Each structure stands twice: as C-alpha cells, then as structure tokens.
C-alpha cells in the first residue's frame, strides 16, 4: 500500500491521540439507521485498526436521535473491545443509563454560542451551561472521566463569528464544573488556521493548559486538516475525527463534514507522529461501513487507497 | 454570503498570488471537451472574479491533449482579459505557435523523477531536462516570462518518495536554463507538511530564493490545503489552484484532485491575506462551469456557498 514519506517537523508532538467519533457523531448524522450488530462490529474493527479512544454511542432520548436508540443493546456487546469507549450523555437521565451499563468515560455536549442557547434551549448561555452542572457533578461523584464538547467555538449559523473571549469563558466554566478535557468544535466549519491559533493562545493565557484541549474540525469549507495542523503546531495532542469521514455527505449543502480519520492519519504518519493506527485496516473498515451505508466514503484517502476497483 | 472571520497570523505573507490553473490543467483532465466559446467566457469570468494569473491553454500537439486542441482559436479571444495569461508549451514548436499569437508568459513542464523520465520519455533525468533547454532559451530570447513546472517533487507512482536533493538539483537546472519561476508539483498528492517544509528549506540552502517558488498541491489524500499552509509559513507567496477543483473527479480513484481555488481563498481570507479575489463571483463561475461539465464541483467551499438548492 502507498504510504507517505516520513519527514518529521521540529516542534510538533511525537504522539497524537485520535478521538474517533464515527460510531457516534458519524452515525447519528447518517440518514440510515445501522443495525446494532453492524455497529458492534464497526467498533471492534476500529479498535483492531489501532484506535484507542472510540466514542461508542449516545444515551440521548431515542426520540431525538433514533439512529442511536440502541445504546442499551450496543454497549454490552463492546465489553471485550480494547479501547476507551466514551459515550455521550445529554443529561442526568442519560448519565444514569450509561453508568448502569458500566461506562467509565462520558461526554456532555455544550455550546459556546449565545444564539445557539437561545434558539435551541430558549436560555441564556449561562443558563444553558448551568444545565450541565448536575450531570458533571454526578459523573465525577461516580468516578468517571468527563469530556466536555463545546460546539460553535468559531462561528454559528445565527450570529456569525463567536468572540474568542466568550469561548474562553465557557471553557473555564466547563473545567470549573469538573470536566477532565474539552473538545473545541468548529461545528459549521468556518474556522481558519489563524483563528485556531488565536483561540488556543487565549485559552492558555486564561490559564487553561493545552493538554486539557482537543480539537474537532469540520470540512465544510475544506479547512479541517489545515486547522488541525495549526493546532498541532500549538501543541495539541488530542484530535477528533471520523472514520471514513462518516457524518458528512459529500454532496449535501448541509454536510457536517467531519474530518476523516484516514486523511488525518495520512498527515500524522507523514509528520512521523505516532497514532498507533494501521491505515490499511482502517481504510478496509471504512470501505466495509460505506457498503452498509450504500454510498462511497467522502474521505479522499479512503478513495485513493481503496481496495476496490472504481 | 458567509465569510470566514479574519484572524491574521504573524509571520505569514500579506499577499498571495494565485496561479489559476483550472482552464488549462483542469480542463485538460476533464473527460468532456469544452467548446472554445465556453472556455473564453470562463477565463473572462475568472478575471472578473479578481484572479490575476490565469493559465489559459496549452500549445501541445492536439493529438496528445484533444481537450485543448483549440488553443489557436481560444487565445485571440482573450485579448481584452485583464490578467496575465500564461500558456503551456511542451517544446519549441508549441512555443513558436504561442509566440505567433502574442503570448508573453509561457510554461514548460518538467519532472523531478528519474522513473518518470524513464517511463514517459525513455531518457535519464538529465537527458529529459536537456530537452527543455532550446525551448527556454528561445523563450528568453523572445523576452517572455518562463515558468517551469516541476512534477513529482514529493513522490511518483514508480519509485515512491523522490529524494529532496534530486528535486533541488532539477530546480537548479531549470533556473540555470533561464526559468523565471518554478512551480513545485505534488502530482500524486502524497506530500505532507513536514516534507513540504524540508524541501523548501533545502532549496533555500542551495541558494534558491523562496520568491522564485510556487507550490502546486493535489488533494489525492486530502493534504493540499494543509501543505499550502505549511508553504505559506515558509514564506511562499505563489500558490497554484484550480477554480472549483477542476481536473479532479471526486469519486474516481485516479483523481488528480487539484486544490480548489475557493477552498484556498477561504483560508487566505480568514488569515487576512490579500488575493484580490471576490469569492462569491468565483463560486458563481465554478457553478456555471460545473453545469457545463454536468457534474458538481468537488470544492467543498463551492458546495457550501452554492447559490442553488441541493
């Protein structure tokens, strides 16, 4: 298989932890609902390909996300998976369901945008954040690791650019609540590299260490990998991505466009940054899932390394 | 229209010259042959959108590239275009045809790969380079600006990685011949950011100034924009790209995958780097061309900013 020539670059991390979101963020945004046994095999295959953090599902109310309504059936099938398996919990009810099944890592999903809080929750940003307090407190009491997703860190569809100081304030609030790590999300994909560096610098200046931060870029405008590279240069070592670019339809205007794990791994391998991932096995897994979904993967690396004739 | 938030980054150039290759490199790799009047309108529209360097066509033998067999008919229709209009000339015969029509900027197409010279020309690399000498000499005698394309600067399909010192040697040879600028091409899209910086550094160390260098990345593995960002950080101010990503079919394994000009402009605007391009007009132009080609643009920015319902 073709592999990139390895040319390390000074000042970059030697290892990156990929937080694989395909099974949760990816599949929840696909039209088709994937059978539980296929999801279980998908997650096993992702772990076999070397991914060490695989977000498995969401304990959201089935009415909201029917694609992941089988969380209770899926999670027990993953007991033998050799990877961390965080799960999304929208509230205390979801958290209790996850804890009852033995989850040891959970994630809450907040937003940095005032307009998002208003439009989706009819609350102020502070009120919206306060909703997470009991969930995070209960998770810490139960001794589980808590990731805080922060969506709309760079722009939102209502107010446009989201001010950096506002994002810093929300990050501070989530960490003060007890979150162990944060994932800075560019939900609508508008960020560019200078914006990424400016936000990371402002977070550091506010006393938030880079080690507590992951980045989560979307490829809506094709910027996800360049933004990730900018974050690596700042010292970020946790990067979210989605196997095969799951969750973003390549020809839909509304594409969420998750960064494809394969495109990320290609770059990291070329930079000599260790991820533990076997790219060939990962590509084979994404092709297998694309067959289940009935459409080609939007990942350029998957297409280039495809095992099939096209 | 949605625009990126402008957050400049220290140490980057204040202005970038985009060398637009859609009309030549793009259309020569499309299956369909576009009528001359559509090509002429395309180039006029690109100039109206603010592009200042638009590679117009190729004076190659029509048998080799039937898509561009109308160079003699097209070029005179561009007399009123307010942009530099370089044309590709494969040899002295092509150069004379271009000069006869009043071309003031030409480009030759060399390769950095020994195996490419062997496979395509049955020559050594030195012999292959020597073929360009009379063409470049005649062009300089005629007082025209000469760009030297250098393909396979990072890898080729036969030998894999191409050694950096070999690329440096070929660059030196092309400049010594009289080329005014070089375009470093990653024809098979395998380069990663550290490799880009290593090559640029090696070229500088060999006495070749960054101002003489443009970069030309392909998105085969999704790396084109991250690589471009790495080149900007090194001080590169000439970037090749293709309007709408022309020349790369999004679902073909053999996609050449030119970097889309719109994705590049999005990044540069966000970084506060001046290009003179009106993104909205450029997107409209790429949509218009996509209609002529009968398939959607592979540019993510074009799809995101599309004026049409999808």
């Amino acid at each position: 298989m073709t592999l990139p020539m390895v040319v390390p670059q000074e000042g970059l991390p030697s290892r990156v932890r990929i937080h694989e979101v395909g099974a949760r963020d990816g599949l929840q945004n696909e039209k088709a609902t994937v059978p539980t046994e296929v999801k279980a095999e998908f997650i096993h295959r992702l772990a076999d390909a070397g991914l060490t953090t695989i977000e498995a599902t969401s304990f959201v109310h089935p009415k909201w996300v029917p694609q992941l309504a089988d969380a209770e059936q899926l999670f027990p099938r993953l007991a033998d998976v050799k990877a961390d398996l965080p799960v999304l919990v929208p509230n205390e009810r979801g958290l209790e369901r996850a804890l009852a099944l033995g989850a040891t890592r959970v994630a809450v999903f907040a937003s940095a945008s005032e307009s998002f809080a208003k439009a989706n929750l009819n609350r102020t940003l502070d009120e919206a954040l306060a909703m997470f307090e009991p969930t995070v407190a209960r998770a810490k009491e139960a001794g589980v690791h808590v990731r805080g997703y922060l969506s709309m860190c760079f722009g939102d569809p209502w107010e446009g650019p989201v001010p950096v100081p506002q994002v810093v304030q929300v990050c501070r609030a989530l960490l003060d609540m007890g979150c162990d790590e944060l994932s800075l999300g560019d939900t609508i994909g508008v960020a560019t590299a200078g914006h990424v560096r400016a936000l990371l610098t402002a977070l550091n200046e506010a006393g938030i260490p880079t080690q507590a931060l992951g980045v989560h870029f979307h490829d809506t405008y094709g910027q996800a990998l360049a933004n990730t590279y900018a974050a690596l240069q700042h010292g970020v070592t946790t990067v979210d991505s989605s196997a095969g670019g799951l969750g973003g339809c390549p020809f839909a205007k509304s594409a969420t466009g998750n960064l494809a794990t394969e495109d990320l791994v290609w770059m990291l391998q070329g930079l000599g940054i260790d991820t533990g991932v076997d790219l060939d096995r990962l590509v084979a897994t994404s092709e297998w899932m694309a067959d289940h979904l009935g459409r080609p993967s939007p990942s350029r690396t998957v297409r280039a390394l495809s095992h099939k004739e096209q």
Side-chain angles (χ1 to χ4, degrees), chain A:
Chain A
M1 192 183 65
T2 311
L3 287 176
M5 181 167 157
V6 178
V7 186
Q9 179 183 326
E10 221 175 312
L12 295 187
S14 60
R15 185 171 173 85
V16 158
R17 184 171 64 85
I18 296 176
H19 186 106
E20 167 59 45
V21 300
R24 197 276 304 165
D25 186 9
L27 293 184
Q28 97 173 37
N29 286 298
E30 294 286 341
K31 270 185 198 152
T33 296
V34 174
T36 308
E37 60 272 21
V38 174
K39 288 177 185 164
E41 184 173 350
F42 183 44
I43 291 168
H44 278 90
R45 281 174 174 248
L46 291 171
D48 289 345
L51 288 156
T52 56
T53 307
I54 305 169
E55 197 160 301
T57 186
S58 171
F59 287 88
V60 65
H61 194 288
K63 198 177 62 183
W64 297 352
V65 185
Q67 293 94 329
L68 304 182
D70 61 351
E72 249 90 12
Q73 290 74 50
L74 174 64
F75 199 75
R77 292 183 182 228
L78 308 176
D80 61 336
V81 174
K82 285 178 185 52
D84 287 331
L85 298 172
V87 294
L88 196 67
V89 294
N91 51 32
E92 289 175 85
R93 170 87 189 97
L95 173 63
E96 293 303 339
R97 287 169 60 205
L99 292 176
L101 290 172
T104 58
R105 299 176 84 94
V106 300
V108 297
F109 200 90
S111 167
S113 143
E114 190 80 49
S115 311
F116 182 82
K118 181 73 188 163
N120 282 268
L121 307 166
N122 199 27
R123 283 175 161 86
T124 67
L125 189 50
D126 285 343
E127 287 166 356
L129 284 173
M131 292 169 61
F132 295 105
E133 272 176 31
T135 309
V136 176
R138 169 72 184 111
K140 294 318 295 174
E141 188 187 280
V144 302
H145 181 276
V146 182
R147 157 176 263 225
Y149 277 106
L150 198 54
S151 71
M152 319 278 176
C153 286
F154 299 90
D156 80 14
W158 303 277
E159 67 194 70
V162 172
V164 166
Q166 182 176 315
V167 182
V168 172
Q169 185 195 327
V170 178
C171 285
R172 184 76 270 164
L174 286 169
L175 290 170
D176 288 348
M177 249 178 237
C179 285
D180 298 288
E181 72 172 28
L182 301 179
S183 168
L184 306 170
D186 181 19
T187 316
I188 59 169
V190 294
T192 48
H195 196 168
V196 172
R197 292 168 76 119
L199 175 58
L200 291 168
T201 301
L203 287 164
N204 292 162
E205 284 168 0
I208 298 173
T210 304
Q211 304 92 277
L213 302 170
V215 289
H216 184 115
F217 293 116
H218 281 193
D219 223 10
T220 321
Y221 299 88
Q223 309 295 311
L225 200 60
N227 290 344
T228 300
Y229 176 58
L232 295 177
Q233 290 181 306
H234 190 90
V236 167
T237 58
T238 300
V239 179
D240 296 5
S241 62
S242 174
L246 281 177
C249 177
F251 286 126
K253 192 163 181 170
S254 59
T256 56
N258 273 311
L259 172 62
T261 306
E262 290 86 353
D263 297 7
L264 171 64
V265 169
W266 183 277
M267 180 175 80
L268 296 175
Q269 283 197 357
L271 289 164
I273 296 174
D274 184 25
T275 64
V277 172
D278 178 326
L279 188 55
D280 199 27
R281 293 181 87 160
L282 184 58
V283 167
T285 299
S286 290
E287 289 192 273
W288 168 86
M289 180 50 85
D291 281 346
H292 278 285
L293 295 171
R295 65 168 184 80
S297 162
S299 161
R300 296 180 192 248
T301 300
V302 170
R303 295 201 302 264
L305 297 178
S306 173
H307 297 78
K308 297 179 210 169
E309 288 306 309
Q310 284 177 345

